[in-house]
Amino acid sequence: MDLLEYQGKQLFARHGLRVSSGDAVSTVEEAVEVADRVGYPVVVKAQVLIGGRGKAGGVKLADDAAQAREHASNILGMDIHGHTVRTLWIEHASDIATEYYASVLLDRSAKKPLVMFSVEGGVDIEEVAERTPEKLIRSHVDPLEGLSREQAEQIARDGGADDDVIGGVADALVALYEVWLSEDATLAEINPLIVTPDREVKALDAKVSLDGNALYRHPENQSLSDSENEDPIERRAKQEGVQYVKLDGDIGILGNGAGLVMSTLDVVAQAGGAPANFLDAGGGSDAEKIKQAVSLILANDSVKAVLFNIFGGITRCDEVAKGLIAAFSDIKPTVPFVVRLDGTNDVEGRRLLAEADLPNVHAAHTMNEAAEKVVALAAAQGGQG
Ligand code: GDP
Ligand code: MN
């Protein structure tokens, strides 16, 4: 569960990390009010669950109320890589001497928390990791011991932080580790972690992902999830009890069971296609559930073709066929479907589909054949191919 910058900063502040004071708003008027209150210059920041806001024009400095108004009205409603800006965070602008990078995450292969630090902050950290890996310090933490002040200082020194801020950076790293651990975060990242001209170390940005399965331990964090900034289709899927993850491609994928859906994604990618979603209708899906799933897939406009890959076990293929037929009579999809039904009651399922003679529905017998077909159909629809 990803948090917006300002929500991440609230968690930071709770654990003693320095952040600028500000407020989240959703209208231009409120933005100007907050700017007047925190004092100019202010920074007006788009709150969306995607990085690179600065480059996209979603982070602007304002010296007075007129500029704050102008930036707020430009940024509200702006589309940043497919995310519409509905919320702004306004904070008092900081003077920046240096921009560092810091993060904590779980390194699954080492089975240990990993702290990363770099003096090359503010920029795309993947680029630093690729071009100058020696400038990205990676330090594993003993999960039983936690991150000691000594280890944090060592990380700051190894990374080349300025001498006079080693202590400040170490404090920030220890606090960030504390955020990650005690809030059950999967990622806690600050980019940039700045040093001000008066040598204060401060988090200027926040990227925090919480472990949704641990939310029950944090009732105070529960409200962070029902943000209206969540993808509306993902939110609807959650309400309907369907596993749905939006991806960037143009091929809608529906399967039953997470394992099958993941292999379907792989096979589609191998055939040269780009999945638009991950949709797992789950075991034992009945006709109603399948109908819901079809409607969820089609709610995403970028879908150019749909691959239905069902391996019947508890799920009966005849039920799936009935759901698909019901969906077609209700929703009348305009994009082609490739359907592969295999397993429990597959013969009956295929018979029902053949009988219904749905427009633009293509049968496939194997997963590979289905993948190739759907990629070709998406390309023919002017997709990404
Ligand atoms: P991102 O582009 O989504 O990562 O958004 P950030 O919050 O990291 O902001 C992008 C950039 O805007 C930062 O790297 C800074 O250079 C700049 N920026 C953000 N806040 C301030 C501020 O308070 N003062 C100044 N001078 N620059 C800022
Ligand atoms: Mn950033």
Side-chain angles (χ1 to χ4, degrees):
M1 185 182 114
D2 298 338
L3 302 189
L4 295 167
E5 172 197 359
Y6 83 91
Q7 297 171 324
K9 281 179 168 171
Q10 283 172 4
L11 296 191
F12 284 1
R14 211 186 273 170
H15 295 276
L17 254 168
R18 262 179 221 276
V19 291
S20 298
S21 55
D23 231 329
V25 300
S26 54
T27 66
V28 176
E29 288 312 317
E30 289 171 324
V32 178
E33 264 169 47
V34 174
D36 285 344
R37 194 168 73 234
V38 299
Y40 297 96
V42 298
V43 54
V44 179
K45 309 184 77 172
Q47 299 296 293
V48 281
L49 295 173
I50 190 130
R53 295 164 302 160
K55 271 188 200 159
V59 176
K60 295 280 184 197
L61 289 163
D63 287 326
D64 53 38
Q67 283 183 8
R69 179 178 300 278
E70 186 190 337
H71 294 318
S73 61
N74 286 339
I75 298 174
L76 272 174
M78 180 186 271
D79 178 282
I80 300 185
H81 309 300
H83 295 248
T84 307
V85 181
R86 297 198 179 85
T87 307
L88 298 175
W89 170 250
I90 314 290
E91 70 178 26
H92 182 66
S94 306
D95 288 331
I96 304 177
T98 321
E99 296 189 323
Y100 295 159
Y101 169 91
S103 64
V104 180
L105 49 84
L106 180 67
D107 181 351
R108 285 177 190 278
S109 52
K111 302 193 178 99
K112 282 180 180 166
L114 176 66
V115 175
M116 295 199 271
F117 174 73
S118 177
V119 294
E120 300 282 314
V123 291
D124 192 355
I125 197 67
E126 276 81 20
E127 227 168 79
V128 176
E130 207 165 284
R131 288 199 194 154
T132 48
E134 70 283 359
K135 290 198 170 155
L136 182 63
I137 299 301
R138 301 161 53 93
S139 181
H140 286 106
V141 176
D142 180 326
L144 299 178
E145 302 282 330
L147 179 66
S148 68
R149 183 75 204 291
E150 291 69 34
Q151 185 180 352
E153 281 180 13
Q154 193 59 47
I155 293 169
R157 250 184 247 111
D158 291 349
D162 293 341
D163 281 342
D164 65 328
V165 292
I166 298 286
V169 169
D171 287 341
L173 292 177
V174 169
L176 188 63
Y177 185 82
E178 193 51 36
V179 169
W180 178 82
L181 183 70
S182 59
E183 303 289 345
D184 280 308
T186 53
L187 170 72
E189 183 185 71
I190 311 174
N191 190 22
L193 175 71
I194 61 155
V195 181
T196 64
D198 35 13
R199 313 311 280 167
E200 204 187 325
V201 177
K202 198 164 156 186
L204 218 61
D205 192 6
K207 186 172 172 188
V208 177
S209 299
L210 297 178
D211 179 353
N213 293 322
L215 258 189
Y216 72 95
R217 305 208 295 189
H218 307 277
E220 74 284 6
N221 288 349
Q222 219 99 42
S223 63
L224 302 177
S225 73
D226 48 30
S227 136
E228 63 179 72
N229 296 282
E230 191 180 26
D231 181 84
I233 307 176
E234 285 186 6
R235 188 172 48 217
R236 206 178 112 198
K238 214 180 280 171
Q239 283 160 0
E240 294 176 3
V242 176
Q243 281 287 335
Y244 174 96
V245 178
K246 185 177 182 294
L247 302 169
D248 293 331
D250 55 13
I251 297 176
I253 290 180
L254 182 138
N256 60 319
L260 180 69
V261 177
M262 280 191 243
S263 0
T264 311
L265 295 180
D266 282 350
V267 175
V268 165
Q270 260 164 28
N277 68 273
F278 175 114
L279 200 153
D280 174 10
S285 301
D286 56 11
E288 187 53 35
K289 194 91 173 274
I290 293 294
K291 207 175 98 180
Q292 274 176 355
V294 171
S295 137
L296 276 169
I297 288 190
L298 296 174
N300 176 354
D301 310 327
S302 36
V303 169
K304 298 278 187 295
V306 177
L307 172 52
F308 236 72
N309 191 13
I310 300 292
F311 193 82
I314 312 170
T315 307
R316 292 165 37 192
C317 291
D318 57 329
E319 275 293 316
V320 173
K322 281 178 195 157
L324 194 56
I325 293 164
F328 266 71
S329 86
D330 273 21
I331 308 167
K332 306 202 180 3
T334 54
V335 300
F337 276 58
V338 175
V339 181
R340 179 226 180 199
L341 293 178
D342 205 350
T344 310
N345 293 2
D346 54 353
V347 175
E348 176 64 6
R350 285 196 291 264
R351 193 188 63 74
L352 286 171
L353 278 184
E355 214 164 67
D357 194 23
L358 303 176
N360 231 346
V361 171
H362 310 256
H365 297 288
T366 68
M367 206 149 119
N368 285 323
E369 182 194 340
E372 273 158 26
K373 256 190 192 162
V374 81
V375 170
L377 286 164
Q381 299 274 316
Q384 301 167 5

